[in-house]
Amino acid sequence: MLVFVFAMAAPVTLVTFFLNSDDGFDFNDYLLIVAAAALPAIILYVRLVREMQVVAARIERAAVLSPLDGDGRAGGRPGLLPLDNLLLTMQQYRRVLQHMLREAQSRQDEASRLFDMLPDPVLVLGSKRRIRRSNEAANRFFNVTEMDGDMTRFIRHPALLKAIDAAYEGADQSARIEFTISDVVPRNVAAYIVNLDGESSEGLHLIVTLHDLTESRRMQQMRVDFVANASHELRTPLAILIGALETLMGPARNDPEAHQRFFTMMQAQSLRMSQLIDDLLSLSQIEINEHSRPADRVDIGKVLNGVGGLIRAKSVEMDKTIAMTLPETPVFVTGDFDQLTQVFTNLVDNALKYSREKSEIRVEIEVARREARISVIDEGEGIPEEHIARLTERFYRVDSDRSRKLGGTGLGLAIVKHIVSRHRGHLEIESEVGKGSRFTIRLPLAAE
């Protein structure tokens, strides 16, 4: 304060002193002049200090409230400083900054949501392979709740680590490698590595994206196996046909008994090839339409009665019986009548083939929880547990020789599986060795 008062009073005092020095200027006059100059300076100083205190208080309030909200000074006697104008300007800048902050936060949240919604695992690496961020898919892929620390905590495949180190060194701005992760079930993975080239100020250097190829590799292998199996299934009867024709045209040309035997054989093999081709075409057509759910309202009781009529003659020939337990009231499901007939024809036919002699095949319907459960139960030898999971694979057989002798193509349960899938239903298989098997089809009930 003394410095301020001196700075304000000294110029006035000196000018007055020099102007009156010739007329005799005593010390009392000097003190009076100093007091006259110092008093306004003190008043001005005190006023400025109060103004600055008000500025500080209102700036503090402006940090949490609108600068003029609840302030008694607003609209009152103006001070020496343009305080209201200053705080209004601050308010405008505060609003602009808040808007910019909300926009930035919104974009950050949106980017974070999009990052977590990516279907493939994505890792953002800082220096020395340290994980800076991972998305939800990566957490699920490695079966953890959060990923942090060195990447080698989660994956240590030499080819991947070598490619990451090469990307750090700038050898390649982007790279793609494929490798296999040893797990309970081995997984084929493709990794895409992109070097950000030091553009980020947060020390983010690499983005590693993992794409699980296991399913596609499995489908490729299934296609290869399918072609190989189909070729084999067709080649076997074809070879028998060719051999029979060569025999008939050669050594057995004039042998009537051989003619009859070979003609019977050729007819059986021709029917087998025809059945195989029909099943292949049927399966192909079902797969094409599998995404399109049928919309007809079908009485499942009529379907089963029709199946019983079609296959009853075969059951009598095999000395086996078919017992159907159907509800008194109709049970309607949403489906395709012909395809459902194909499903239960296959299941009942399989039950006849693989059940014991003079046994009974039971067909039962149960309605529960908005679905119909149709079970086909046989009294056969049963299926070992290790085979059950693969029964619906194409050409998979528990006993290949027996299946071929019984006229099976190996495609029946695959057809059943895809038809049931098209109907948005479920196929359940239960079996006990030595006692028999139960195949249950669960189908949604039709809306009334």
Side-chain angles (χ1 to χ4, degrees), residues 21 105 143 178-179 183 206 260 283 336 338 416 419 443:
S21 58
Q105 186 64 45
N143 196 26
E178 292 187 16
F179 56 94
D183 206 339
L206 298 182
Q260 183 63 35
L283 183 58
D336 182 294
D338 292 335
V416 168
I419 292 177
L443 297 171

Side-chain angles (χ1 to χ4, degrees), residues 266-282:
M266 291 169 64
Q267 182 185 32
Q269 296 304 318
S270 298
L271 291 174
R272 180 181 168 190
M273 282 198 299
S274 177
Q275 182 63 46
L276 178 60
I277 292 171
D278 288 343
D279 283 351
L280 286 171
L281 292 175
S282 177

